[in-house]
């Protein structure tokens, strides 16, 4: 396994994207990894087909999000094209009662946790800050403040320890986030308390315009051992490797051995968000190189080689993707903005006289305004 | 004289400050090649190189904390916090370190740090991208806090902030980044009105409206509308929130006897509370009616689709004007 223990701080660079563990080459050929192999022994062709379907559906949700933004139906969208294997592979390794702490870009994690179409689009449309109940999906609201969720995940895991449960928490964050104090503090807490948490760093090479080299000189997975946390660096475009590595990490945490850390080396194909213009900071050639490492094409090649990519299967997946895309679109277009006074709801869990007074004053104001308009 | 957007005026201010003084450095996230997410630092890295226009790791405490060290070493760092909501990770450094070093060292250490913050809402942004954190900084002694409302002030006040030996928190209203106006780039910042002075944005006789940032535009719109009703509003653009120019405010209040304060930040313990208390203390005998605040509600900034109910618009300002004039208004008849 490409653990950091084999890395050399003087020689290995964070920018080396090929020093990763994998089970599927970019051409879709299976390779044996002595450490990862055992974690996917039960993954048969049907299971690989399901992973493929998940990734295709995720790509479709994402494309729909971008299109909806272009049409003014959502205010902003953070594309995750290219990161499907990382999101699906890791999230599918979680148990339903484990708790995920995703960032804004982890649409696929929300999807894999059972999110509904409205869960992907309504927040980006500006209808609400949170669109699902974290306790129902066992998934925290998608975090915008970089790195903050890593501490929440550790705290949740500390709670699991105290309750005697066997769930794990999964903290998702980007390569940029690893520069934040919060992420480093999360590793200190997790390590000191042996918390059952898995850190998933999606290294997509960029933090908006800043290449990973601004955040890290040594591979990011190499930091965890310094905190006493075992880590692995995997090919983030290889869904089998992501699944296997996440299973290893979860198993480690679930068995009470403490935290584990994954660095998934992948690439953000699109802009940072729909407001971003990546042509200002990165080369077309780089994008082309990564296009040839596409995580979905890779599984398609594998399925073809194993005769599991027939027309029926393709048509079925395409139909599912079309249906889901239509639901996503409907969720955005059919959204009903909440009434004005709802802005005062849920500020506090218990009655608060100050809010009550402001709600009443604003209601009186709106009433008077309506009366004037009628009159 | 040139027509510039506010974003461009700030860009020009940075460029000239850097050209004039090799100790001026610019640092922040995505400010290099990308030129900042609002393009405020556009092309500066090309011109001054990566050692003076520094793309930092993604860590706000790190950005401000290292700027403290650079200032200790004699540099004049201008840091960009990418969005208002991301200043909180740097809050500890700003409040505990930046604000206090001069005091702690009995004046031996200067902190000529400028902290630029794209600020406040009204642009339909995602969560954490529309915060109004100014009161936290105004409450912190040792910091100067300014908020700009037009390209000319943006340019001059930035130059003054950079030239200041004190740390300055410099708020840039996002919703005005693209508004254009004439800018005199050749004014000497040292000769221009100091950044601590307020500006009478519009003269009037009936009610003084105190405001700052993008809300100045709303207040001016309200003044135009009030004029049709025969009411004359004097609009004061505070420009500086710490210190506040009570001389200019006092002169206006003595003339009008009525005060409305408007800002988009929440009301409780906000800048408006301070202004009302101070005006009342200083000008009580000139006041005809109690001052009134019209502000954001005491709620977290709401989702984009509902933000228009939070950020005071000209109608809410006019409603407050009616209140200080004892005219029928939204609270008439409401038992408080
Ligand atoms: C505390 C904080 N600072 C800055 C930002 C603005 N911002 C949003 S995403 C981003 C880049 C994040 O990069 P990375 O962690 O690598 O994740 P990615 O977006 O690449 O998935 C920045 C600077 C933020 N959201 N929060």
């Amino acid at each position: 396994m490409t653990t950091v223990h084999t890395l050399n701080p003087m020689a290995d660079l964070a920018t080396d994207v090929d020093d990763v563990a994998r089970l599927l080459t970019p051409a879709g050929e299976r390779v044996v990894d002595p450490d990862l192999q055992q974690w996917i022994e039960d993954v048969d062709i049907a299971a690989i087909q399901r992973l493929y379907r998940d990734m295709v559906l995720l790509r479709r949700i994402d494309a729909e999000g971008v299109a909806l933004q272009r049409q003014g139906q959502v205010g902003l969208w953070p594309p995750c094209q290219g990161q499907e294997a990382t999101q699906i592979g890791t999230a599918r390794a979680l148990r339903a009662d484990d708790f995920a702490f995703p960032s804004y870009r982890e649409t696929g994690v929300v999807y894999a946790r059972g999110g509904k179409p409205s869960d992907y689009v309504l927040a980006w449309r500006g209808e609400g800050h949170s669109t699902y109940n974290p306790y129902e999906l066992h998934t925290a609201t998608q975090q915008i403040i970089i790195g903050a969720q890593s501490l929440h995940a550790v705290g949740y895991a500390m709670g699991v320890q105290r309750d005697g449960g066997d769930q794990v928490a999964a903290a998702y964050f980007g390569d940029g986030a690893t520069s934040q104090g919060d992420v480093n503090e999360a590793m200190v807490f997790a390590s000191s308390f042996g918390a059952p948490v898995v850190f998933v760093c999606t290294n997509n090479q960029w933090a908006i315009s800043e290449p990973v080299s601004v955040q890290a000189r040594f591979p990011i997975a190499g930091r965890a051992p310094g905190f006493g946390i075992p880590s692995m660096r995997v090919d983030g475009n290889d869904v089998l490797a992501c699944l296997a590595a996440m299973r290893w990490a979860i198993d480690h945490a679930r068995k009470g051995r403490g935290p584990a850390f994954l660095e998934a080396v992948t690439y953000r194909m699109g802009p940072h968000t729909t407001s971003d213009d990546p042509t200002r900071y990165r080369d077309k050639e780089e994008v082309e190189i990564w296009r040839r490492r596409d995580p979905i094409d890779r599984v398609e090649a594998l399925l073809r080689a194993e005769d599991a990519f027939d027309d029926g299967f393709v048509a079925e997946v395409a139909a599912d993707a079309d249906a889901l895309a239509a639901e996503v679109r409907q969720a955005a277009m059919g959204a009903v903005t909440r009434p004005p006074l709802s802005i005062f709801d849920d500020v506090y869990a218990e009655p608060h006289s100050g809010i009550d007074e402001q709600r009443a004053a604003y209601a009186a104001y709106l009433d008077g305004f309506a009366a004037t308009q009628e009159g | 004289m040139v027509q510039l957007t506010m974003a461009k005026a700030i860009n020009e201010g940075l460029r000239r400050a850097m050209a004039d003084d090799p100790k001026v450095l610019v640092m922040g996230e995505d400010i290099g090649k990308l030129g900042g997410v609002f393009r405020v630092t556009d092309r500066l890295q090309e011109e001054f190189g990566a050692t003076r226009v520094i793309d930092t790791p993604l860590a706000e405490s790190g950005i401000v904390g290292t700027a403290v060290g650079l200032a200790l070493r004699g540099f004049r760092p201008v840091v960009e916090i990418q969005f208002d909501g991301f200043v909180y990770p740097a809050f500890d450094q700003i409040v505990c370190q930046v604000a206090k070093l001069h005091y702690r060292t009995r004046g031996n250490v200067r902190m000529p740090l400028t902290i630029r913050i794209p600020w406040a809402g009204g642009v339909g942004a995602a969560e954490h991208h529309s915060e109004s954190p100014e009161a936290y900084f105004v409450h912190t002694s040792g910091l100067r806090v300014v908020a700009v409302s037009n390209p000319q002030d943006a340019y001059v006040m930035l130059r003054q902030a950079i030239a200041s030996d004190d740390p300055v928190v410099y708020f840039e209203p996002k919703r005005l980044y693209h508004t254009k106006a004439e800018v005199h780039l050749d004014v000497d910042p040292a000769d221009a009105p100091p950044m601590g002075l307020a500006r009478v944005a519009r003269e009037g006789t009936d009610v003084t409206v105190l405001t700052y940032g993008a809300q100045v535009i709303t207040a001016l719109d309200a003044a135009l509308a009030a004029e049709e009703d025969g009411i004359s509003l004097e609009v004061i653009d505070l420009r500086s929130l710490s210190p506040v120019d009570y001389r200019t405010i006092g002169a206006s209040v003595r003339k009008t006897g009525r005060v409305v304060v408007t800002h988009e930040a929440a009301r409780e313990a906000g800048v408006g509370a301070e202004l009302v208390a101070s005006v009342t203390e200083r000008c009580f005998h000139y006041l005809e009616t109690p001052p009134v605040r019209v502000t954001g509600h005491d709620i977290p900034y709401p989702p984009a689709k509902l933000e228009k109910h939070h950020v005071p618009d000209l109608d809410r300002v006019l409603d407050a004007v009616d209140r200080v004039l004892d005219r029928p208004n939204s609270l008439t008849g409401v038992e408080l």
Side-chain angles (χ1 to χ4, degrees):
Chain A
M1 110 179 46
T2 305
T3 58
V4 290
H5 317 297
T6 65
L7 297 174
N8 174 359
M10 305 310 289
D12 292 290
L13 290 178
T15 44
D16 179 353
V17 297
D18 279 312
D19 185 10
V20 286
R22 56 170 66 113
L23 290 166
L24 262 188
T25 67
E29 286 150 6
R30 282 181 187 258
V31 284
V32 173
D33 182 288
D35 297 303
L36 290 179
Q37 209 62 38
Q38 57 178 304
W39 297 102
I40 54 148
E41 243 132 50
D42 63 314
V43 178
D44 57 13
I45 281 296
I48 296 174
Q49 283 181 325
R50 285 196 295 277
L51 292 169
Y52 174 85
R53 175 183 178 274
D54 278 345
M55 291 197 290
V56 170
L57 264 55
L58 172 56
R59 182 161 294 182
R60 193 56 185 274
I61 295 168
D62 192 56
E64 202 61 30
V66 172
L68 286 166
Q69 194 280 335
R70 300 291 180 232
Q71 292 157 15
Q73 290 297 326
V74 302
L76 188 77
W77 186 264
C80 66
Q81 190 198 341
Q83 301 182 197
E84 292 89 352
T86 298
Q87 296 188 7
I88 296 299
T90 58
R92 282 292 180 220
L94 289 165
R95 223 167 57 190
D97 64 337
D98 291 331
F99 214 100
F101 292 79
S103 83
Y104 47 84
R105 202 183 301 289
E106 261 102 31
T107 312
V109 174
V110 178
Y111 159 81
R113 303 297 289 161
K116 297 188 298 293
S118 56
D119 296 334
Y120 317 129
V121 291
L122 291 189
W124 299 116
R125 191 177 152 89
E127 299 288 359
H129 292 322
S130 167
T131 42
Y132 50 85
N133 178 346
Y135 292 116
E136 278 169 13
L137 293 192
H138 287 95
T139 303
T141 59
Q142 290 184 263
Q143 181 62 251
I144 288 182
I145 300 298
I146 301 298
Q149 73 279 18
S150 55
L151 284 163
H152 308 162
V154 174
Y156 188 92
M158 290 166 65
V160 170
Q161 282 180 311
R162 277 151 188 73
D163 288 341
D166 72 340
Q167 298 84 9
V168 304
Y172 285 88
F173 47 81
D175 46 299
T178 61
S179 295
Q180 288 284 3
D182 278 2
V183 171
N184 291 276
E185 292 177 28
M187 288 202 269
V188 173
F189 274 68
S191 170
S192 294
F193 296 121
V197 60
V198 176
F199 297 105
V200 183
C201 174
T202 300
N203 175 2
N204 66 9
Q205 311 306 319
W206 293 92
I208 309 188
S209 73
E210 300 187 346
V212 66
S213 56
V214 173
Q215 322 293 338
R217 192 191 136 74
F218 189 50
I220 290 167
R223 292 186 199 173
F227 291 95
I229 302 173
S231 69
M232 221 191 267
R233 196 166 195 250
V234 291
D235 184 334
N237 285 16
D238 172 352
V239 73
L240 295 182
C242 290
L243 177 70
M246 188 69 173
R247 284 179 167 185
W248 159 74
I250 290 171
D251 181 71
H252 178 90
R254 207 183 303 287
K255 288 202 172 122
R257 297 184 184 143
F261 188 106
L262 296 185
E263 177 190 357
V265 178
T266 179
Y267 196 75
R268 159 182 40 96
M269 297 300 297
H272 166 69
T273 66
T274 44
S275 322
D276 177 43
D277 173 13
T279 61
R280 288 179 73 107
Y281 55 82
R282 69 181 190 190
D283 296 336
K284 269 209 200 87
E285 296 81 69
E286 185 186 278
V287 182
E288 284 314 310
I289 289 170
W290 281 91
R291 207 177 292 289
R292 295 196 287 276
R293 306 166 71 120
D294 188 279
I296 297 181
D297 292 352
R298 202 179 285 205
V299 180
E300 178 182 327
L302 169 73
L303 289 173
R304 279 187 193 285
E306 309 214 359
D307 269 339
F309 202 75
D310 57 52
D311 292 349
F313 172 67
V314 173
E316 207 176 290
V317 172
D320 288 354
D322 285 347
L324 183 53
E327 284 179 51
V328 168
R329 170 159 295 266
Q330 174 52 32
M333 314 276 273
V336 178
T337 300
R338 288 178 295 155
L341 292 182
S342 69
I343 60 173
F344 297 99
D345 295 348
D346 305 319
V347 180
Y348 297 95
E350 292 176 21
H352 184 283
S353 57
I355 284 288
D356 293 346
E357 197 180 289
Q358 286 196 5
R359 184 192 285 109
Y362 193 57
Y365 168 77
L366 289 177
D367 284 351
F369 199 59
T372 329
Q373 280 198 331
E374 280 158 23
Chain B
M1 205 155 53
V2 280
Q3 285 272 335
L4 292 181
T5 62
M6 182 181 286
K8 212 62 199 126
I10 298 170
N11 176 272
E12 200 51 40
L14 289 169
R15 173 174 289 109
R16 292 192 183 207
M18 293 187 84
D20 288 355
D21 180 354
K23 290 295 189 186
V24 175
L25 288 178
V26 179
M27 50 201 289
E29 296 160 8
D30 303 293
I31 66 163
K33 258 194 192 166
L34 187 66
V37 294
F38 294 103
R39 308 289 183 260
V40 168
T41 53
D42 198 23
R43 298 190 182 281
L44 294 181
Q45 194 178 63
E46 233 166 71
E47 194 171 334
F48 298 102
T51 53
R52 289 188 68 198
V53 180
I54 307 169
D55 264 336
T56 64
L58 209 176
E60 290 76 12
S61 182
I63 294 170
V64 175
T66 54
V68 167
L70 282 158
L72 274 166
R73 176 72 194 183
F75 286 86
R76 306 186 85 83
V78 183
V79 309
E80 174 175 301
I81 301 293
Q82 197 162 76
F83 271 90
D84 36 49
F86 312 148
V87 72
Y88 303 117
F91 196 63
D92 167 53
Q93 284 290 339
I94 297 174
V95 168
C96 299
Q97 308 301 328
V98 173
K100 294 188 167 90
L101 261 160
H102 189 254
Y103 193 69
R104 255 157 76 192
T105 60
R106 296 192 170 194
N108 283 313
V109 169
R110 301 272 154 112
M111 272 295 117
L113 200 66
T114 302
I115 302 172
R116 294 183 33 242
I117 308 181
W119 164 61
V123 295
E127 199 182 2
H128 306 292
H129 288 70
S130 303
E131 306 275 301
S132 293
E134 60 268 26
Y136 299 115
F137 300 109
V138 169
H139 191 66
T140 300
S141 309
L143 301 174
R144 290 176 190 276
V145 182
V146 302
V148 298
S149 70
N150 59 75
Q152 180 71 48
D153 275 357
Y155 170 75
V156 172
M157 287 166 65
L158 179 70
R159 304 282 316 261
Q160 292 170 332
I162 296 171
S164 170
D165 276 345
D166 285 323
V168 180
V169 180
Y170 178 98
F171 284 108
E172 304 168 5
K174 291 187 282 278
R175 93 179 123 110
L176 301 185
Y177 266 141
H178 300 299
T179 55
K180 259 193 182 175
E182 282 186 349
V183 181
H184 300 260
L185 292 172
D186 294 326
V187 291
D188 185 340
D191 294 339
M195 63 183 176
L197 286 191
R199 174 177 74 97
V200 180
R202 178 189 166 108
E203 292 194 16
T205 51
D206 296 332
V207 176
T208 298
V209 181
L210 301 178
T211 189
Y212 54 91
Q215 208 59 20
V216 171
I217 309 302
T218 307
L220 288 172
D221 289 346
L224 272 181
E227 194 174 33
E228 289 177 13
D229 262 358
I231 298 167
S232 162
L233 303 188
E234 178 145 302
V235 176
I236 295 189
D237 175 0
L238 295 178
R239 295 166 87 246
S240 172
L241 309 182
S242 179
V244 170
D245 173 11
Y246 283 110
R247 233 170 240 284
T248 301
I249 294 174
S252 178
V253 175
R254 283 197 292 278
K255 178 168 67 170
T256 63
R258 296 172 205 271
V259 176
V260 166
V261 181
T262 178
H263 57 59
E264 128 173 22
R267 185 164 74 182
E268 192 161 82
V271 168
E274 181 57 42
L275 289 167
V276 169
S278 294
V279 166
T280 306
E281 276 179 357
R282 288 159 199 255
C283 306
F284 184 73
H285 295 293
Y286 294 94
L287 288 170
E288 307 279 347
T289 49
V292 163
R293 283 171 288 168
V294 49
T295 67
H297 309 291
D298 290 332
I299 60 173
Y301 198 87
K305 291 280 182 192
L306 291 164
E307 70 180 334
K308 64 171 184 287
H309 295 291
H310 181 65
V311 179
D313 59 8
L314 90 156
D315 287 316
R316 277 171 69 195
V317 174
L318 291 172
D319 182 69
V321 166
D322 286 340
R323 269 186 264 162
V324 295
L325 286 170
D326 275 336
R327 286 156 47 105
N329 60 70
S330 65
L331 292 185
T332 305
V334 172
E335 287 231 4
L336 291 176

